[in-house]
Structures are given as C-alpha cells and as structure tokens.
Amino acid sequence: MAKQGRNAVNKSLESLLDMDKSAAPSKNAMPPMPVRKTIPGHGLEFSNLSYSVMKKQKKDGEWIKKEAYLLNDISGQAIRGEIMAIMGPSGAGKSTFLDALAGRIAQGSLEGSVRIDGKPVTASYMKMISSYVMQDDQLFPMLTVHETFMFAAEVRLPPSISREEKKKRVYELLYQLGLESAAHTYIGDEGRRGVSGGERRRVSIGIDIIHKPSLLFLDEPTSGLDSTSAYSVVEKVKDIARGGSIVLMTIHQPSYRIQLLLDRITVLARGRLIYMGNPASLPAHLSGFGRPVPDGENSLEYLLDVIKEYDESTVGLDPLVLYQRDGIKPDQAARTPIRKAPKTPRTPFIKTPGSRHAISLHSHAFSIGNVTPRSESGQFGYRDDDDEDEDEEEFDYSLERKASFRPQTPMSMQSGVYNPRLASHFYKDFSAWVYRGVTGTPRRAPSWTPARTPGRTPAKTPSSRSFVSGRYPTPQQPSSSLKAPVVFSPSIDPYAPSYEEFDIEEEEEDEVLDEPEHGPKFANPWLREVVVLSWRTALNVVRTPELFLSREIVLTVMAIILSSLFKNLSHYDFQTVNRLLNFYIFAICLVFFSSNDAVPTFIQERFIFIRETSHNAYRASSYVISSLIVYLPFFAIQGLTFAFITKYWLHLTCNLFKFWMILYASLITTNAYVMLVSALVPSYITGYAVVIATTALFFLTCGFFLKGNKIPIYWRWLHYISAIKYPFEALLVNEFHGKDVCYAGNPSDLSPGPLGELKLSNQHLHDQNLRNCTMIGEDVISSMGIHIENLWYDILILLAWGVLYRLFFYVVLRFYSKNERK
C-alpha cells in the first residue's frame, strides 16, 4: 500500500509538471534562464541564510507570539574585485542580510553557512578580516580628516610598519578618496562647521579601509547625499573593489549612473530573494518572467514596482521567488496579480460535531494528491491563508528572538511536494520529538557556521502563501476556492547543496577559520593602544574646552560663593562646628553632582567605541585605562582649585594636601561611577535621572542626616556602599582629629544640627586637662559615629570603589556594548 501511495504521488507530480509545460504558449516561450555563474571555493559564499524574530500580536484580547522570518533561505556568492549591491523596498531585510554576512548577528540566531574561499568561518574571524561602515557617520568632530586617518592607521596597522609608512598610507588614502583639499579641516558637527556630507561619508569609509580589509560592508553609504556626492562615494568604493576586496553594500534606489558601477545586485523583499545577478541581465530576467520592462523605464525601478504590486496582491511574492530560484514561470493570470480585498470583520471560528471526520477526509485528500475545495474547509475549522497574512501585518516586530529553535515547516525536500502535517507524520516522528524535548536538542542546530540547514529552507513560512505549480488564483477563481500541493522544479543552480551533500560536509568537518589560528586578534599590543587612545582623548579634551572648563568654572565659582557665605570658620565655638559640618557635606555633594556632565559625553563616544571595536580596532581595556589617564591631571587641577580657595578664604585649620587628596579621590570615583551608568543607559536623559537619584541616595545615607546606627537594619547596607560616606568622614577627621582645642558655647547651639547628641571621646574622658572643656575636636568625630580615624583608610576605600566602578565599566563595554542582533 505504501508503495502504491508513493507511485500515486509520483504520477501526480509528473502529471502536474506536464500540465505546467503544456500550459505555456509556445509563441511566448522564452529561452531557458542561464545558469548562475558561481565559482565554488572562491570569494564570499553564503548558503540558506535564515533569521527570524519572535513577533507579537493582540488577538481576541490576548497577546500571542509567533516567529517571523526576516531572512528566508538566501544563497549566493560575492566575488573579489566586484561590488555587490543589496537592494529592495523598505523593510526588505537589506541591513539584516548585511549584518548576517558580517557576523553581526548573535551566535545561535542565524541559520545557514557563510564561507570564504570554500572554508567555513566564525563570526570573530569575519570581524577580524572585514570592516563595516555604518549608515551614520560616527566621528569625533574636533579632529581633522588627517588626524582621523592617522589614528585609524595607528590602531589598525601593526607596529612592524613604521610611522613614515603609515603617513604614506594616509596620504595615499586621502588621494584615493579625493580628500586632499579637506585633509586639515575639522570633521565638524551640528554646532561646528566642518567637511561636507559627502566628505564625511568618505572619511567614514576611509578609516575602515586603512588596513586594506579583505571584505568591506557598507550600510547605505549614499544615504542623505545628493546625486553627485553619492556617485562620487560609490565610484571610490568601486576603486576599492578593484584593489582586490570583496565589497557588499546596501543602497536604496541608486541612480542610473550608480547602477553602471555595480557588478552584481541582490534584490530582496520581505527577507526573500527576488533577483541576484548582473544589473544588465535584469531586463531579460523580467522578460522571462512575463513582465518586460517598458520602453524608457529603468529596469530596477520597474522591478521594485513589480515587487510592490505582487506584495499587495492575493498571490504574494511567491511567483517572483520561485522564478528566481527554480525558473518556474507563472501563468498569464499570475502575471497580472489582483490586489487584496479590504479587511472585513472575521466570522467566528466554528467547530461542528462533524469537524473531526471532515478534517480526516481533508487530510486524506491531500495525502493522495487530490484537491479539496477551500469553500468547504471553513466549516471544518480551517482558516484562509489570506486571513493569516492579514494577521501577520498587524504583528509587532519589536520583540527579540527568544526561541532556540524554529518550527519545521512541512515540506518534503526529496519530492518537492508540499503536504500538510498528517497524523501519520506525528506518530512517525513521535520518538524523535520526545528525544528532542527531553534533551533540549533543537530541531536544527542554530549555528552561524558551518551549515546545518538543508539545501532548501521550507517555502511555507509564516509569510508565504499556497500555490500550485505556477497556477495562481484568477478573478474567476478566488484564492479561497482551491488548495492544492505545491510543486517545485529542481534548482538550476548546480552548486545548490542537498540534504545528502550537507551530510557529507558535516562528516568531513572542513577546517573552520578562526582568529587564533590565523594571526592575532588585534593589530597592536595593549600598551601601544593605550598610548594612541590617550593621544586622541587628550586632543579632544584640549579642543573641546567645555569638557574641562565647564567643571573647572563651576567648582571655582561655587568655591567663591561658599567662601563668601560661610566667611570665617576659624572660631572655636559650637556654631562654627555646625557651620563646618554643613560646609564639608555641601563641598562633597558639589564635587559629586558636578561630575554629571560626563553622562552625555560618554554616550556620544559610545557609538564611536562600538563602531571601532566591532571589528577589533582596539581592546575595551585600552579604552578604559586611556580615558582615566587623560582625565587624572584635570581632576587634580579641579580639586586643587576648590581646596585652595576655600582653605585660605575660610581660614580652615585642616591640612591642605590631605584636603586636596580627598577631593581628588572623590572626583576620580564619581567620574568612574558616572561612566558606568552612562554605559548602561540608552540615553543621556535616563543617565541623568539615574545618576542624580543614586547620588541623592548616597547623600541621604552618608551619615550626615542619619547616622549609621540610626538607619533601619534592612537599609543599613546603603550606608556602607555610599560613595559620599568615606570622603565626608575623611574631611571631618582631617579637620577635627588630634586637636585638643576646646569649643565653647551653649549646647543648645548644636541642636538642631547634624551632630545631635554629644558623645564624649575616649581622649576627652581620660585626659585630666580637658575635664573643664565642654567639647573638643575628637568629640565631634565620636558624635558623628566615625570609627576610622585614619583618613588614608577612607581615601583608599573611596579609590577602591572607583576601581570597582571602572572594572564594571570595562565588563559592560566588553560584553554588553556589542553592535549585533540577538
């Protein structure tokens, strides 16, 4: 019986193929499509790339999740010395496809294989040998074009190359990109005049090709440019490709002149491959499809119009995808697709008592290759495909991919016939399903490389539609009337792998290219990176005076205002003690709050850091250390300015050097904390909110308002992690410790005040000479609940918090700030 069933299926397949051949009129027959010219083992090869995200929709009052493919079974090749342009309408998946090739999608989320010269590669190796030019130009505005290129040469080129050779390479690049006249012009930004938009884009390209990468990826390099500037940019990219690099770029509706510069184009729509080949062959491709390009119209623009027409029709993009992949031509009805009807209210989903038997009959009809009218399926609980597509359009794509495996779509690869999942399939695969459910093994192991997916990703995806051997619904035959098997002809690509071929490849286990085996991950040693990054950061600080002067001016002005308010603090009475406590707590809070200006500064630099480190320009640790080294002298000047003014204006009796060291350590620690918060938050507004809120919390629990023993025990840990506690205590120890001077006055002058109940110190209790003294300096320290009377311990603890914040900052930069999709 099974053999007879297989014979019946084969006969139905042969009959459908014969019907398809006989249906095409001989007078309109086009010559067979030429085989795509590919060179196995050369250039960048990608096979069966698929990537999906989990999307959500509110349906019947409940949120449901569903998997949506952003890339669906894309295969092809990019050759050295050529430009491959990735095109398509908005939302086609162009940037996603570019990220997939560049290794910028998290491991385990992308299915398919990417090979270079026939060998599988890891994402880390791909980043090491390639460069990625982002759509936005992330550059330092106060560096000149020449300085920007020199920095790129210093971090991208190895130390074995002399500085003279690096300068020579920079001048060659300036000439190659046509930037000689702008070499000593600042990059500029919205508030400062600089180079033009086209020159900025060429600078962005230049810093990523200074080391002559094997692969160059560009995301919308002509975005926002006029036609002349856009042509100039692509022309320079063409020269780069001629130098032996593989160049892939996304581009949106290029002009005719730019199209002449392109060697290959890849046209996508909804993540599916519509066309791949030479731009000159596009008119012939459209003619073979049955939609010849009208006279005087651009073939690429016409293809985009055709894509839009089919995407908004009842048949969808399947005719275009099948014709590109398998050469299956649609019939006359499919060449003139019908627009989707407006959405109408849905009828309730009804199940009848006889639906169980009807479903089994419906499935039986499919299993033997017959056609079941869709008009009957409504009463059996089946939903129409068009309704399902309308649901998908309402989905929100913002949810990141969470599932570790994808649901297998019901496609028989060997026969090419689409069959719905039947009960027999369930029992047949039951043991495998149980095993995978117990072990947690995904149905197809998600891996960036090597390939683990079959030669054909199932055509029936959540966004696909049913069709029959090129026969699509017509006005006389609506889409809801018939539902039949889908027949695929064999691929015309001789290099398209099958199941068996991939099994062989897996058994052979080709050598996988990775960076430890093929050279160091970074071009320069760690110390060299620190020196170069420190040089660039120092240039930015010097040329951006507001980074340093703003805080210096704030501290100077506030020191003068505080000194004029508190006047003389050299008296030895109870009122002076209260004023000293108020002055010191305000001084520490001023230092901490004045560091908030670092929030937007780093958030602006973070995008540059991500761009530069995404392809291993330098280490994250080098960036962390270099920024600290550059800012240390500026912190020293700021702390000394405030300490000097207040010390001599207010006649403080504290030690000036220790006063400065406390302020210096506070500036270092609070800067580290602000940098950590800036690395975690998405915007500077959120950063300001977090920094202000946590600093206020530190202020509240530092021991000034509430002493440590007065804080509830479940919040007492906040007292010890407060970064304000330690410098405040150190300032009080510096002012009052070791002084046997008697403070006179009425005890009522101490209340209300931070001192609270006076607690005599051990020195006061045991020194006979102080019995007649109401309060000494040690009593202030004892009454404030300070147990560490060595201020250097407080300074060391404060610096330890700064080191911890810097360490967390490094961890965030190293593992969290990655420009890749999940």
Side-chain angles (χ1 to χ4, degrees):
M1 291 296 293
K3 185 175 182 181
Q4 292 178 359
R6 286 194 298 270
N7 291 337
V9 173
N10 292 335
K11 288 180 181 179
S12 63
L13 174 58
E14 293 173 0
S15 61
L16 286 169
L17 289 173
D18 292 338
M19 292 168 59
D20 186 52
K21 293 177 181 177
S22 61
S26 59
K27 62 179 181 179
N28 295 332
M30 297 294 297
M33 289 289 295
V35 177
R36 293 194 297 270
K37 294 182 179 180
T38 57
I39 309 174
H42 292 274
L44 177 67
E45 300 172 275
F46 44 93
S47 178
N48 311 116
L49 293 184
S50 295
Y51 172 64
S52 67
V53 295
M54 299 302 295
K55 57 184 183 178
K56 58 183 178 179
Q57 178 201 24
K58 194 171 185 179
K59 191 172 184 180
D60 298 332
E62 296 182 358
W63 287 99
I64 61 174
K65 298 178 183 179
K66 196 173 183 180
E67 193 173 28
Y69 281 84
L70 301 186
L71 297 178
N72 189 356
D73 190 24
I74 300 178
S75 301
Q77 186 180 35
I79 305 298
R80 281 188 174 84
E82 294 184 352
I83 296 181
M84 174 181 281
I86 304 167
M87 306 180 188
S90 298
K94 301 185 293 295
S95 296
T96 305
F97 179 49
L98 196 70
D99 289 344
L101 295 177
R104 293 160 66 90
I105 293 181
Q107 186 177 5
S109 299
L110 180 69
E111 293 183 357
S113 65
V114 177
R115 294 171 176 262
I116 296 179
D117 294 334
K119 295 183 179 181
V121 296
T122 62
S124 57
Y125 179 77
M126 176 65 76
K127 293 178 181 179
M128 187 180 72
I129 65 169
S130 65
S131 288
Y132 192 105
V133 180
M134 297 181 183
Q135 184 172 349
D136 298 325
D137 300 320
Q138 301 294 343
L139 303 168
F140 284 102
M142 295 311 295
L143 295 181
T144 65
V145 175
H146 180 268
E147 290 169 345
T148 303
F149 282 174
M150 275 304 301
F151 168 78
E154 293 288 354
V155 297
R156 293 280 193 176
L157 300 179
S160 58
I161 300 177
S162 66
R163 185 170 179 82
E164 294 301 322
E165 292 175 336
K166 292 177 181 177
K167 289 182 178 180
K168 182 179 179 182
R169 172 61 182 151
V170 167
Y171 286 118
E172 290 175 354
L173 192 60
L174 290 170
Y175 174 77
Q176 182 182 5
L177 297 174
L179 294 170
E180 306 101 308
S181 59
H184 299 289
T185 304
Y186 289 127
I187 299 296
D189 56 11
E190 296 82 0
R192 307 174 182 88
R193 293 183 61 86
V195 297
S196 64
E199 290 171 336
R200 282 177 63 91
R201 185 54 49 88
R202 279 178 276 165
V203 172
S204 298
I205 296 173
I207 59 180
D208 283 312
I209 65 171
I210 190 85
H211 59 303
K212 298 181 180 179
S214 300
L215 288 95
L216 179 62
F217 301 97
L218 303 101
D219 189 12
E220 296 281 0
T222 61
S223 176
L225 303 180
D226 59 85
S227 59
T228 302
S229 299
Y231 178 79
S232 175
V233 168
V234 178
E235 190 178 31
K236 303 304 179 185
V237 172
K238 177 74 172 180
D239 294 336
I240 296 169
R242 286 172 180 164
S245 298
I246 303 173
V247 178
L248 298 97
M249 68 178 185
T250 60
I251 190 168
H252 190 70
Q253 289 188 332
S255 64
Y256 179 73
R257 291 194 304 164
I258 292 179
Q259 293 180 37
L260 296 177
L261 297 175
L262 305 178
D263 299 296
R264 293 191 181 194
I265 60 173
T266 299
V267 182
L268 305 178
R270 292 193 179 271
R272 308 174 73 184
L273 183 61
I274 303 299
Y275 177 76
M276 180 178 290
N278 193 292
S281 304
L282 183 56
H285 177 84
L286 290 170
S287 297
F289 181 73
R291 298 293 296 269
V293 181
D295 294 338
E297 189 161 348
N298 186 289
S299 58
L300 183 57
E301 293 179 358
Y302 181 70
L303 174 59
L304 296 178
D305 293 338
V306 172
I307 290 173
K308 181 180 180 182
E309 182 180 352
Y310 273 86
D311 189 36
E312 297 175 351
S313 69
T314 56
V315 297
L317 299 172
D318 295 321
L320 294 166
V321 174
L322 273 187
Y323 182 66
Q324 158 64 24
R325 189 183 66 188
D326 300 325
I328 297 179
K329 302 178 183 179
D331 61 7
Q332 187 61 35
R335 295 173 190 170
T336 55
I338 307 170
R339 286 183 64 89
K340 291 180 183 177
K343 294 183 181 180
T344 57
R346 299 171 183 268
T347 57
F349 181 69
I350 302 173
K351 289 186 178 181
T352 64
S355 61
R356 179 172 55 185
H357 304 290
I359 290 174
S360 63
L361 292 174
H362 186 79
S363 302
H364 180 69
F366 272 101
S367 65
I368 62 176
N370 293 337
V371 178
T372 302
R374 279 298 297 271
S375 59
E376 299 176 4
S377 64
Q379 59 182 322
F380 304 142
Y382 284 88
R383 300 188 190 275
D384 187 74
D385 286 343
D386 291 337
D387 293 337
E388 184 177 333
D389 294 332
E390 291 174 0
D391 292 345
E392 291 172 0
E393 293 176 359
E394 300 173 0
F395 272 102
D396 179 12
Y397 286 79
S398 62
L399 194 63
E400 289 184 351
R401 184 181 188 275
K402 302 293 183 184
S404 61
F405 64 92
R406 310 176 191 279
Q408 192 83 338
T409 52
M411 169 70 72
S412 175
M413 291 300 174
Q414 296 177 354
S415 64
V417 181
Y418 169 79
N419 287 312
R421 300 294 296 185
L422 307 179
S424 59
H425 292 129
F426 174 81
Y427 293 114
K428 179 180 177 181
D429 298 336
F430 181 77
S431 59
W433 289 358
V434 171
Y435 172 77
R436 288 167 181 146
V438 172
T439 62
T441 305
R443 189 178 299 273
R444 293 184 300 185
S447 175
W448 195 79
T449 183
R452 292 285 187 259
T453 56
R456 286 281 179 262
T457 298
K460 180 67 177 173
T461 64
S463 62
S464 63
R465 297 164 174 84
S466 300
F467 47 91
V468 187
S469 184
R471 288 172 173 74
Y472 298 91
T474 62
Q476 294 78 17
Q477 183 184 4
S479 60
S480 61
S481 61
L482 293 176
K483 193 170 186 179
V486 180
V487 180
F488 296 95
S489 65
S491 172
I492 61 175
D493 189 350
Y495 307 115
S498 64
Y499 265 121
E500 294 77 15
E501 290 172 356
F502 269 97
D503 290 339
I504 293 173
E505 290 175 3
E506 291 178 14
E507 293 174 3
E508 291 177 354
E509 293 186 357
D510 293 338
E511 177 192 3
V512 178
L513 299 179
D514 203 353
E515 79 271 357
E517 303 173 4
H518 297 81
K521 186 175 181 179
F522 300 96
N524 290 276
W526 180 82
L527 187 59
R528 176 67 179 169
E529 291 177 355
V530 171
V531 172
V532 175
L533 287 169
S534 300
W535 164 73
R536 185 181 68 174
T537 305
L539 272 181
N540 275 308
V541 172
V542 171
R543 292 179 182 173
T544 314
E546 57 267 23
L547 294 177
F548 166 69
L549 286 181
S550 60
R551 193 182 306 176
E552 177 68 17
I553 292 173
V554 166
L555 291 175
T556 302
V557 172
M558 290 305 298
I560 295 174
I561 293 175
L562 282 175
S563 300
S564 62
L565 285 174
F566 286 94
K567 297 182 179 179
N568 191 350
L569 294 178
S570 62
H571 301 295
Y572 300 107
D573 53 45
F574 288 176
Q575 290 184 350
T576 303
V577 171
N578 260 342
R579 294 170 64 200
L580 278 170
L581 294 175
N582 293 330
F583 165 75
Y584 280 130
I585 190 62
F586 190 86
I588 289 298
C589 288
L590 176 64
V591 168
F592 271 76
F593 280 106
S594 67
S595 299
N596 291 357
D597 59 354
V599 174
T601 301
F602 173 72
I603 288 180
Q604 292 173 359
E605 288 188 16
R606 182 173 60 184
F607 298 104
I608 301 177
F609 169 83
I610 292 174
R611 174 183 60 79
E612 292 175 338
T613 57
S614 62
H615 287 262
N616 304 332
Y618 50 81
R619 300 168 180 84
S621 58
S622 305
Y623 178 83
V624 174
I625 297 300
S626 64
S627 62
L628 175 62
I629 292 174
V630 171
Y631 279 100
L632 282 178
F634 296 105
F635 295 154
I637 295 173
Q638 292 165 359
L640 183 61
T641 301
F642 185 88
F644 185 83
I645 293 175
T646 55
K647 158 72 176 174
Y648 291 104
W649 193 316
L650 296 174
H651 305 285
L652 299 175
T653 59
C654 64
N655 183 283
L656 177 61
F657 175 75
K658 294 178 180 179
F659 187 19
W660 168 68
M661 282 298 300
I662 296 169
L663 297 180
Y664 188 26
S666 300
L667 287 168
I668 293 174
T669 301
T670 185
N671 179 262
Y673 177 71
V674 170
M675 297 282 275
L676 172 61
V677 173
S678 302
L680 290 171
V681 298
S683 64
Y684 72 91
I685 297 177
T686 308
Y688 274 131
V690 173
V691 170
I692 292 174
T694 52
T695 304
L697 190 61
F698 290 162
F699 180 36
L700 179 63
T701 59
C702 69
F704 180 80
F705 296 102
L706 291 173
K707 297 181 178 61
N709 58 354
K710 300 295 183 180
I711 299 176
I713 191 170
Y714 47 84
W715 289 119
R716 198 164 295 173
W717 56 274
L718 287 173
H719 176 66
Y720 295 100
I721 70 169
S722 172
I724 298 180
K725 160 185 163 63
Y726 302 100
F728 177 60
E729 292 182 354
L731 288 175
L732 297 186
V733 170
N734 187 36
E735 178 68 30
F736 295 105
H737 179 61
K739 294 184 174 65
D740 297 335
V741 179
C742 289
Y743 290 88
N746 191 339
S748 61
D749 294 338
L750 298 176
S751 183
L755 200 60
E757 182 182 355
L758 183 62
K759 182 180 178 181
L760 299 180
S761 62
N762 292 331
Q763 180 182 354
H764 193 176
L765 293 174
H766 295 91
D767 193 339
Q768 300 294 331
N769 298 324
L770 300 174
R771 285 189 175 184
N772 298 326
C773 188
T774 307
M775 184 178 67
I776 63 174
E778 289 291 340
D779 296 340
V780 176
I781 297 175
S782 177
S783 300
M784 292 299 295
I786 299 174
H787 304 290
I788 301 177
E789 296 188 1
N790 189 336
L791 64 84
W792 293 110
Y793 288 161
D794 285 315
I795 293 176
L796 288 177
I797 294 174
L798 182 61
L799 291 176
W801 277 112
V803 172
L804 186 63
Y805 292 147
R806 286 278 172 180
L807 181 60
F808 287 156
F809 178 53
Y810 162 75
V811 171
V812 172
L813 293 183
R814 176 67 177 82
F815 300 103
Y816 178 73
S817 297
K818 291 185 177 181
N819 193 3
E820 66 178 13
R821 301 171 187 254
K822 302 298 182 182

